[in-house]
Amino acid sequence: MSPIRASATAVLATLAAALLVVPASAESVRVLIAEKAEQSWGLEMPPSGHFEITLQDSDPGDAEMISDFWMDRSTGQFLANAVEASGDVRRLAGLALLNVPVPVPTQQLLPGKILSGDDFQVVDLPYGQVGAYAVTRLDHLEGMQVRRVLARGRPVMSQSITEPVIISRGDPVSIEYSKGAMSLTAPGKAISDAHADQSVRVVNLVSNKIVEGIAKPDGKVEIQK
């Protein structure tokens, strides 16, 4: 190989190597700590959760990486070693508070009310204060009926809501009998409450017999034979 060709090859190799080198970039210390906090929770990390990072150092700046991290999950307190661009290691301490977005009522809601999205606002609350039975998705609240008083600004417990009651005990109902192509109707009176598509007992006011059918969304009771 000629000296000129060898020199050109060496230059190209040097340029290619330079292109493959990705310079390290500093990242916000808060971002790096939040990533470490998420890793410490592992599979137990709630999907919608995120960390609010508070540091004793009011201006933590950037760092290349977090080399060591210790965290008390029950309190959120942490210690971390941040490696700076110069190679120096800086000890940091603070609080990594795990928050989750939760829909809460904008006003007190009384039993019997049918819920809509307008009844709620979504706020960030500490995960430890939410509770295992809190409803954390707005679409799981819309269309439900209040069983117990819902307090303004407090998470809604699953036990405090229910599917809407479409037939109440004592309600007059229309009983529909279906068998093949034949269909009959009769007046009736409910002797139990029922949600949509739930079994309900009614008195047939024509025969004065108690029958059991399925409560339909339109309030009728369907009996199939």
Side-chain angles (χ1 to χ4, degrees):
M1 181 181 292
S2 68
I4 294 176
R5 179 173 294 180
S7 176
T9 301
V11 169
L12 290 174
T14 301
L15 289 173
L19 290 173
L20 292 174
V21 175
V22 179
S25 58
E27 181 65 273
S28 164
V29 164
R30 286 188 170 85
V31 172
L32 294 173
I33 290 174
E35 291 175 351
K36 288 292 186 180
E38 289 183 16
Q39 293 171 12
S40 72
W41 276 77
L43 295 176
E44 296 179 58
M45 177 76 181
S48 59
H50 58 277
F51 285 93
E52 178 183 345
I53 307 299
T54 304
L55 293 121
Q56 291 181 357
D57 186 349
S58 59
D59 184 19
D62 296 338
E64 297 296 315
M65 62 178 291
I66 301 296
S67 60
D68 296 287
F69 184 80
W70 304 269
M71 178 178 173
D72 181 347
R73 279 175 38 177
S74 63
T75 64
Q77 293 180 321
F78 70 83
L79 292 173
N81 288 338
V83 181
E84 299 179 338
S86 63
D88 293 336
V89 177
R90 182 160 47 112
R91 173 61 64 89
L92 300 172
L95 186 68
L97 186 62
L98 177 57
N99 289 329
V100 290
V102 180
V104 298
T106 56
Q107 60 184 341
Q108 186 183 73
L109 302 175
L110 300 178
K113 177 176 174 55
I114 304 300
L115 300 173
S116 72
D118 294 337
D119 295 317
F120 298 91
Q121 62 178 343
V122 178
V123 299
D124 282 342
L125 295 176
Y127 183 64
Q129 296 180 13
V130 172
Y133 296 102
V135 181
T136 57
R137 289 180 51 177
L138 184 59
D139 60 347
H140 288 177
L141 291 168
E142 293 177 312
M144 299 295 280
Q145 188 172 26
V146 179
R147 290 183 60 196
R148 304 170 185 166
V149 175
L150 304 183
R152 177 179 179 272
R154 299 289 300 275
V156 176
M157 298 295 106
S158 58
Q159 308 95 314
S160 298
I161 57 175
T162 185
E163 293 283 346
V165 174
I166 60 170
I167 295 177
S168 299
R169 179 183 176 90
D171 282 352
V173 297
S174 176
I175 304 172
E176 295 188 344
Y177 296 86
S178 298
K179 186 176 182 179
M182 183 180 68
S183 179
L184 301 173
T185 62
K189 183 177 181 181
I191 58 175
S192 63
D193 298 340
H195 311 303
D197 298 320
Q198 184 182 35
S199 176
V200 61
R201 300 175 71 213
V202 297
V203 176
N204 183 326
L205 297 180
V206 175
S207 65
N208 205 33
K209 292 183 178 180
I210 295 176
V211 295
E212 189 168 316
I214 301 299
K216 307 310 292 183
D218 60 5
K220 296 178 180 178
V221 175
E222 184 178 274
I223 298 174
Q224 294 182 337
K225 293 186 177 182

